[in-house]
Amino acid sequence: MNAANQEDNSRLHRVQEMLDSGTMHKVSGLLNALQPGEIAHLLESLPLAEREIMWGLVKEKDGEVLVHLADDVLDDLVSKMDAADIAAAAENLDPDDLADLIQELPATVTNEVLASLDAQSRHRLETVLSYPEDTAGGLMNVDTVTIRPEVTLDTVLRYMRQLGDRVPASTDALIVVNRDDSYLGMLPLARLVTGERSDTVAEVMSVDFVPIPVSKPDTEVAARFERHDLVSAPVIDDDGRLLGRITIDDVVDVIREEGEHQFMGQAGLSEDEDMFAPVFTSARRRAIWLGVNLVTAILASWVIGQFQATIEKRVALAVLMPIVANMGGIAGIQTMTLAIRGIALKQLSLKNLRWLLRKEFAVGFLNSLLWAAMVGIIATIWFNDTSIGWLIAAAMTINLLFAAVSGALIPMILDKFNIDPALAGGVFLTTVTDIVGFLAFLGLATVFLI
């Protein structure tokens, strides 16, 4: 366990001990020393009753904490707050954070929050809300520092000193625009402080940086930040006018959410699933996924039922056939994980899919030679029957090859039909490898042994 995890576990343990002992002043003192994200992590780690007690102790940072919470936990806490309290919590949030929060609030509360804002803040919020949440426009913050190209660095330095602590966080460069707010370039702070004060911005600014279109998907924005090690980036509209900027903290949230989505989606769960949600809420959500799996399990069982007479004659087949299906499932998941990752990172397309299929087929073939031989030898010794060994080796080879191809094709097909492969891919793949494994093993047994 790394140091960060140990610290989180230690902090959670201390909070629970304080709550159990009723020493609320100690909990308050601990919360005052934590960042909003750390408080949110603690809240998500507590059962509902303890979470509600602790939330009552969060005061000055409550708005920032709400922004960091998973949707399910956020909904639970907001449902127990008065509209006026929510409006007060949201009062000092940045427009991009407020836009994320306000979309999770009931309409009545949303109206009260909007009414509590001044005209400038409301305009900034409405600008962010006018774009889909999963685009650059939904990620951006409209609070930017812009400068003109004709001014000198000395003028810019004096301007920055006047701004003082009003300079937005994560400002690593100033955005250069003309009088129409059209984007022209970037002035990195390093160039600002090292350049000659008499130089104009136009002489030292960087014009190589390509701004981000407002409609660009957030996953592509995250990929660009990752590839270019960006701290911030300007966002422009279709006419090249500056709308705002995206900062690394917003991109980290996108990357984290995407990772959680891929991981949780394999079990049919939302990335915002509350670990301590009420029993009936969790049961209702999971029931649908269990029902889908039941249908696929019945389909696989039906295939087995078609070979009931074969299994009755050779009991060894019933013992060995799960091995064939399971090996195919694991091999297919390995390939499918690579394919889903490639789709998410925009690295896999129809143009290079054929190369991936050839590569995974070759990998599947090599692994099938090794493990089919191994299982064939084990089965032969186990049942003292060479024909059983050859049979399971052949069936496993067929299923491993089929699994490799299916693992690459299924995510692409699902993505083509706008079905999330991270959510549905596992069910389809397991069904395919089970059916092919059973068909190959029991079908070959029917032909050659019975």
Side-chain angles (χ1 to χ4, degrees):
M1 183 182 297
N2 61 38
N5 287 337
Q6 288 178 339
E7 183 180 354
D8 287 341
N9 288 338
S10 174
R11 186 185 296 140
L12 176 61
H13 182 68
R14 293 202 310 273
V15 167
Q16 288 180 314
E17 284 186 337
M18 294 173 189
L19 291 173
D20 291 340
S21 64
T23 53
M24 300 305 167
H25 64 284
K26 292 185 178 180
V27 180
S28 296
L30 175 63
L31 294 178
N32 288 333
L34 297 179
Q35 296 296 316
E38 294 173 320
I39 298 174
H41 178 76
L42 272 177
L43 287 167
E44 292 174 349
S45 305
L46 291 171
L48 295 179
E50 294 180 351
R51 179 187 296 165
E52 192 169 347
I53 294 172
M54 182 172 153
W55 177 243
L57 301 174
V58 179
K59 297 177 181 178
E60 295 180 358
K61 305 175 183 177
D62 52 359
E64 296 174 271
V65 173
L66 287 174
V67 172
H68 286 86
L69 291 171
D71 288 349
D72 279 6
V73 180
L74 172 64
D75 292 342
D76 174 58
L77 293 178
V78 166
S79 67
K80 300 168 184 174
M81 295 175 66
D82 295 332
D85 292 335
I86 298 173
E91 187 175 355
N92 296 318
L93 291 178
D94 291 333
D96 58 335
D97 291 333
L98 183 54
D100 292 336
L101 175 61
I102 206 169
Q103 294 180 72
E104 305 299 329
L105 302 179
T108 53
V109 178
T110 299
N111 293 333
E112 184 153 347
V113 172
L114 290 173
S116 68
L117 300 176
D118 57 45
Q120 184 183 35
S121 298
R122 192 181 303 113
H123 174 71
R124 288 177 173 178
L125 176 61
E126 290 171 349
T127 299
V128 177
L129 288 174
S130 65
Y131 301 102
E133 185 179 3
D134 58 352
T135 64
L139 280 180
M140 71 178 182
N141 194 329
V142 295
D143 190 10
T144 61
V145 178
T146 60
I147 54 177
R148 298 281 188 262
E150 64 272 10
V151 301
T152 64
L153 298 189
D154 182 61
T155 302
V156 176
L157 285 168
R158 284 189 279 111
Y159 173 55
M160 294 294 289
R161 281 194 292 269
Q162 289 175 1
L163 288 176
D165 57 7
R166 289 178 294 155
V167 175
S170 301
T171 297
D172 62 321
L174 308 180
I175 305 174
V176 186
V177 296
N178 63 18
R179 296 187 183 279
D180 296 324
D181 279 336
S182 294
Y183 171 80
L184 300 178
M186 303 284 287
L187 176 61
L189 294 186
R191 293 191 185 182
L192 172 61
V193 298
T194 59
E196 294 292 335
R197 293 195 171 193
S198 58
D199 289 343
T200 64
V201 170
E203 292 174 316
V204 296
M205 72 179 188
S206 172
V207 295
D208 298 330
F209 190 91
V210 179
I212 297 176
V214 69
S215 58
K216 199 175 197 64
D218 58 359
T219 52
E220 294 183 20
V221 172
R224 184 169 174 188
F225 267 71
E226 181 183 7
R227 285 195 298 267
H228 298 284
D229 294 325
L230 301 178
V231 175
S232 66
V235 178
I236 60 171
D237 63 14
D238 294 337
D239 297 320
R241 284 191 295 269
L242 180 71
L243 295 174
R245 68 180 186 128
I246 296 172
T247 53
I248 186 63
D249 57 317
D250 299 312
V251 173
V252 168
D253 291 340
V254 173
I255 295 172
R256 177 181 57 80
E257 289 169 4
E258 184 65 20
E260 290 178 353
H261 174 72
Q262 301 289 346
F263 177 75
M264 299 287 281
Q266 296 178 24
L269 300 175
S270 165
E271 64 268 26
D272 295 310
E273 181 91 8
D274 182 4
M275 183 165 54
F276 297 107
V279 172
F280 287 107
T281 300
S282 295
R284 184 179 68 251
R285 290 175 174 175
R286 300 181 194 182
I288 299 175
W289 196 248
L290 290 172
V292 172
N293 277 274
L294 177 60
V295 172
T296 62
I298 291 174
L299 183 58
S301 297
W302 177 81
V303 172
I304 296 173
Q306 304 307 301
F307 297 93
Q308 184 174 348
T310 302
I311 296 173
E312 289 175 352
K313 293 179 182 178
R314 302 295 291 267
V315 178
L317 300 177
V319 176
L320 294 173
M321 65 182 185
I323 298 176
V324 180
N326 287 341
M327 289 293 286
I330 294 298
I333 287 174
Q334 290 174 337
T335 302
M336 188 178 70
T337 302
L338 286 175
I340 292 175
R341 176 178 176 271
I343 292 172
L345 296 177
K346 308 300 180 184
Q347 295 173 341
L348 182 61
S349 65
L350 293 176
K351 292 183 178 180
N352 57 14
L353 176 61
R354 184 178 301 177
W355 189 94
L356 179 65
L357 287 172
R358 286 200 301 264
K359 178 250 184 178
E360 290 301 320
F361 188 87
V363 171
F365 178 70
L366 291 176
N367 275 325
S368 68
L369 292 180
L370 172 63
W371 296 109
M374 183 73 70
V375 173
I377 293 171
I378 292 172
T380 299
I381 297 172
W382 189 353
F383 295 99
N384 195 26
D385 189 338
T386 305
S387 59
I388 287 289
W390 282 108
L391 180 69
I392 193 171
M396 185 174 291
T397 299
I398 293 171
N399 204 22
L400 285 175
L401 293 176
F402 206 92
V405 174
S406 300
L409 284 179
I410 287 175
M412 290 295 292
I413 294 172
L414 292 176
D415 186 61
K416 188 71 174 177
F417 287 96
N418 293 321
I419 301 173
D420 188 351
L423 193 63
V427 175
F428 284 101
L429 179 66
T430 302
T431 303
V432 168
T433 54
D434 282 355
I435 291 176
V436 171
F438 295 144
L439 274 175
F441 188 50
L442 299 177
L444 289 173
T446 302
V447 173
F448 294 105
L449 295 186
I450 307 303

